[in-house]
Amino acid sequence: MSATATEIDPNVFHLEEEPHHEEGSSTMLGFWLYLMSDCLIFAMLFAVFGVLGGNYAAGPGPKELFDLELVAVNTAMLLFSSITYGFAMLAMDRNNQRQTLIWLAITGLFGLAFLGIELYEFAHLIHEGATPQRSAFLSAFFTLVGTHGLHVTFGIIWLVTLMVQVSWKGLIPANKRRLMCLSMFWHFLDVIWIGVFTFVYLLGMVR
Amino acid sequence: MSADNNDHSPESHDVDHLGHEAHNHGSFRSYMIGFVLSVILTAIPFALVMTGALPPQATALIVMAFAVVQIVVHMIYFLHMNSKSEGGWTMLALIFTIIVVVIALSGSLWVMYHLNTNMMPATHEMSQMSS
């Protein structure tokens, strides 16, 4: 516009220099916002299950299909994995790389046990003819529980990735930040599972 | 357990002037409190449903109440939610999410329940016709 623009432009009101943010200082908040949006996905799937959960289409219902003892074992696996991840974070706070990796590995094993039991349950249901195509109840069930299982699967992949990164680069700030994000993700999945075992399995049995 | 020798002091959890907490991962004690509470809050609903000790209506209400309490326990002891982390923005996002979730869930269930009951006579007639 004018020659004075290089000096002080009266139309520009922002600071000459952006305030300096430490690298990754907004990562935790950003990841929390992602988790909240993920929460909305699960809320929609819960709503679908709540609406369609009673439509058995003359097929099998929760009482014929669900094995609560198996679900209880599954819940225990996820709960154990939550506390062992907590121990990994405490080891990380002490900058103890070896213990962090050990606790992460134990967490991963509990996660795999959870997935294994869930896949066994799914295979059992499908073998009995209770496929997702059988009724609206089963479609909603497989979508909701399957989405949670998919999250756990990606959580385990992420966990293994971080274990490799930590063993290569050590507990550098970037890796600590990543471990903290996965920590939130992992505990968040446990929170979702509380909703699943309560509304799908337990309330399905008393419905 | 090898994790019980944690000795990090509260000084290491200083909050800087921007309101970002340095690192609040809780302590061994807080994780154990959360874990024990979660075990109790999980075991009781499972036991109630598996034994069928109470009438279904009461069981359903108690099970749902335990779920809500356990979610809060997880939020506090595992996810370390508080009103101060990230300058209060995580709490604000959480409250907003809860509002949206409550509206979506209650709205869906309410509308679809009434849709179902109002559709009932038609399906009822059909089943009468076919029988």
Side-chain angles (χ1 to χ4, degrees):
Chain A
M1 286 267 202
S2 65
T4 57
T6 51
E7 290 293 305
I8 297 168
D9 193 334
N11 296 321
V12 175
F13 297 106
H14 62 72
L15 295 172
E16 281 179 44
E17 203 177 334
E18 291 293 328
H20 178 68
H21 289 295
E22 204 184 325
E23 190 203 336
S25 64
S26 55
T27 304
M28 303 312 288
L29 178 59
F31 195 77
W32 181 257
L33 293 182
Y34 154 70
L35 286 184
M36 290 299 100
S37 68
D38 219 13
C39 192
L40 295 183
I41 293 179
F42 279 108
M44 295 309 116
L45 294 177
F46 272 111
V48 168
F49 186 84
V51 169
L52 299 175
N55 301 2
Y56 308 133
K63 279 176 185 162
E64 292 94 67
L65 293 176
F66 296 156
D67 178 6
L68 271 194
E69 280 159 29
L70 200 65
V71 179
V73 173
N74 227 357
T75 306
M77 290 301 136
L78 213 54
L79 202 52
F80 279 129
S81 81
S82 255
I83 187 73
T84 54
Y85 202 105
F87 291 153
M89 295 303 282
L90 293 175
M92 187 193 86
D93 275 354
R94 295 194 303 270
N95 283 316
N96 191 329
Q97 183 178 333
R98 200 170 147 268
Q99 271 190 23
T100 307
L101 284 174
I102 290 172
W103 283 119
L104 284 178
I106 295 172
T107 307
L109 289 179
F110 276 126
L112 279 178
F114 171 84
L115 267 187
I117 294 170
E118 190 163 282
L119 285 176
Y120 164 78
E121 188 198 14
F122 279 9
H124 185 66
L125 290 181
I126 289 168
H127 183 70
E128 283 189 339
T131 60
Q133 296 98 316
R134 181 61 190 85
S135 63
F137 152 66
L138 282 165
S139 303
F141 166 79
F142 276 101
T143 312
L144 173 58
V145 183
T147 306
H148 179 270
L150 209 59
H151 275 76
V152 176
T153 310
F154 281 106
I156 292 173
I157 293 170
W158 189 4
L159 186 101
V160 173
T161 313
L162 280 188
M163 281 175 68
V164 172
Q165 278 193 311
V166 169
S167 57
W168 278 357
K169 302 248 170 100
L171 289 169
I172 56 174
N175 276 345
K176 283 192 176 182
R177 200 166 63 233
R178 291 164 189 149
L179 283 171
M180 276 153 66
C181 283
L182 181 57
S183 168
M184 293 203 294
F185 186 72
W186 201 260
H187 293 309
F188 168 77
L189 288 184
D190 209 2
V191 171
I192 298 294
W193 184 253
I194 297 170
V196 172
F197 79 69
T198 301
F199 289 100
V200 176
Y201 291 102
L202 292 182
L203 290 187
M205 296 302 262
V206 298
R207 196 199 279 262
Chain B
M1 300 260 174
S2 53
D4 55 356
N5 58 339
N6 77 311
D7 51 356
H8 55 222
S9 51
E11 288 84 30
S12 64
H13 291 170
D14 280 343
V15 177
D16 71 15
H17 62 98
L18 283 170
H20 294 302
E21 269 170 288
H23 291 301
N24 183 13
H25 306 144
S27 60
F28 178 74
R29 194 168 160 271
S30 74
Y31 272 114
M32 283 319 283
I33 292 172
F35 180 69
V36 170
L37 282 177
S38 296
V39 169
I40 296 168
L41 291 168
T42 306
I44 293 174
F46 268 96
L48 277 179
V49 174
M50 282 162 124
T51 58
L54 292 170
Q57 193 90 39
T59 310
L61 284 175
I62 294 172
V63 164
M64 279 194 276
F66 272 91
V68 172
V69 175
Q70 200 185 344
I71 287 172
V72 174
V73 165
H74 271 245
M75 286 280 175
I76 294 171
Y77 290 104
F78 289 160
L79 283 164
H80 311 302
M81 273 305 289
N82 58 54
S83 57
K84 293 194 183 63
S85 67
E86 303 287 347
W89 286 106
T90 51
M91 184 57 91
L92 200 65
L94 178 67
I95 291 168
F96 173 69
T97 308
I98 290 171
I99 291 171
V100 174
V101 166
V102 166
I103 292 172
L105 279 179
S106 59
S108 305
L109 293 175
W110 180 54
V111 168
M112 295 310 287
Y113 172 78
H114 284 278
L115 190 68
N116 257 343
T117 41
N118 291 332
M119 295 294 278
M120 262 327 173
T123 51
H124 189 58
E125 276 165 28
M126 263 164 52
S127 65
Q128 276 182 333
M129 277 195 292
S130 59
S131 60

